[in-house]
Amino acid sequence: MLATKRAKELIQTGNFKNVDAVYIGTIPQSEITRTDRTIILITDVRTDLALDGNLDFHALDKDVEGDCKM
């Protein structure tokens, strides 16, 4: 599963009272000028190969970043 999708799932299932929407990658134009909602944007920031051996890798390390617009 993509790290950004997993982060979105975690936020959505956390039932945060003040979070109105969670987006991956970009915020829709219709949401940008709204001031009555709290929106979280999640983006990929880094993916590295991990657990390498025998000229192969066996895992990925992924970092995501979230930004909140209130």
Side-chain angles (χ1 to χ4, degrees):
M1 176 180 287
L2 296 173
T4 51
K5 284 187 176 182
R6 182 69 180 132
K8 180 179 179 179
E9 271 184 16
L10 289 171
I11 292 168
Q12 288 175 326
T13 58
N15 296 320
F16 296 102
K17 294 177 185 177
N18 295 333
V19 176
D20 296 308
V22 181
Y23 295 104
I24 295 173
T26 60
I27 297 174
Q29 191 65 34
S30 60
E31 293 278 15
I32 290 177
T33 58
R34 294 189 68 172
T35 59
D36 61 331
R37 294 169 46 93
T38 300
I39 299 168
I40 295 176
L41 173 65
I42 301 172
T43 56
D44 282 315
V45 292
R46 185 177 62 99
T47 300
D48 293 328
L49 303 178
L51 298 175
D52 55 323
N54 294 333
L55 300 174
D56 203 359
F57 68 94
H58 303 281
L60 293 174
D61 285 333
K62 297 183 175 189
D63 288 341
V64 297
E65 182 173 276
D67 191 14
C68 185
K69 172 191 167 290
M70 293 189 248

